[in-house]
């Protein structure tokens, strides 16, 4: 089984055990809670593309070997505005998580190559189940 499949299994076990106690932060208007699993070496651009496929909002779990990190990830279009670029779309998710922990009080805005801006206002570690 490849690394991404193993990470997905870890995340889904965690979500199944956690959902009743503490719901995931992103819930769509239809009641669903989309989940995207990312590895630390995945890029922000690839993750934003996957989140965009869910309609622009998802619970992104970054699966580190020793922990899972949950990001409330939202993609939105900002046409004609000047956006402060805080990260590149080629930035790894590991680097992005480190950045979010260093700047916990402000939302992070990035420009990605799919023509949108991704906003990730919160990040947290959660325990995962085996």
């Amino acid at each position: 089984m490849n690394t991404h499949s193993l990470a997905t299994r870890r995340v889904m076990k965690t979500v199944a055990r956690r959902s009743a106690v503490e719901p995931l932060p992103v819930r769509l208007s239809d009641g669903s809670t989309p989940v995207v699993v990312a590895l630390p070496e995945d890029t922000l651009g690839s993750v934003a593309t996957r989140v965009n496929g869910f309609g622009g909002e998802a619970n992104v779990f970054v699966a580190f070997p020793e922990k899972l990190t949950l990001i409330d990830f939202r993609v939105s279009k900002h046409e004609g505005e000047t956006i402060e670029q805080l990260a590149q779309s080629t930035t790894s998710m590991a680097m992005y998580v480190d950045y979010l922990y260093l700047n916990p009080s402000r939302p992070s805005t990035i420009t990605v190559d799919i023509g949108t801006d991704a906003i990730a206002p919160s990040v947290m570690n959660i325990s995962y189940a085996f």
Side-chain angles (χ1 to χ4, degrees):
M1 197 175 291
N2 68 32
T3 308
H4 198 272
S5 294
L6 290 172
T8 301
R9 289 178 64 172
R10 270 178 49 207
V11 167
M12 297 319 291
K13 285 180 182 180
T14 301
V15 169
R17 291 187 174 142
R18 179 178 191 267
S19 295
V21 178
E22 186 178 354
L24 295 173
V26 175
R27 181 174 298 272
L28 302 182
S29 59
D30 65 2
S32 64
T33 53
V35 172
V36 171
V37 178
L39 298 175
E41 61 270 13
D42 288 347
T43 64
L44 276 169
S46 68
V47 172
T49 300
R50 287 188 272 166
V51 170
N52 201 37
F54 280 114
E57 296 181 64
N59 298 285
V60 174
F61 285 86
V62 183
F64 293 92
E66 70 285 352
K67 66 181 179 181
L68 293 175
T69 300
L70 173 60
I71 303 172
D72 173 350
F73 203 102
R74 300 170 195 275
V75 176
S76 60
K77 293 184 186 282
H78 291 280
E79 298 175 13
E81 295 180 29
T82 303
I83 303 291
E84 179 183 2
Q85 188 170 358
L86 301 173
Q88 299 287 330
S89 64
T90 56
T91 301
S92 73
M93 290 304 291
M95 290 177 62
Y96 189 54
V97 167
D98 286 345
Y99 171 80
L100 291 173
Y101 279 123
L102 292 173
N103 298 282
S105 61
R106 68 176 175 171
S108 170
T109 303
I110 60 166
T111 302
V112 294
D113 58 6
I114 59 173
T116 61
D117 297 312
I119 300 171
S122 64
V123 61
M124 66 180 114
N125 283 327
I126 61 171
S127 299
Y128 63 87
F130 287 99

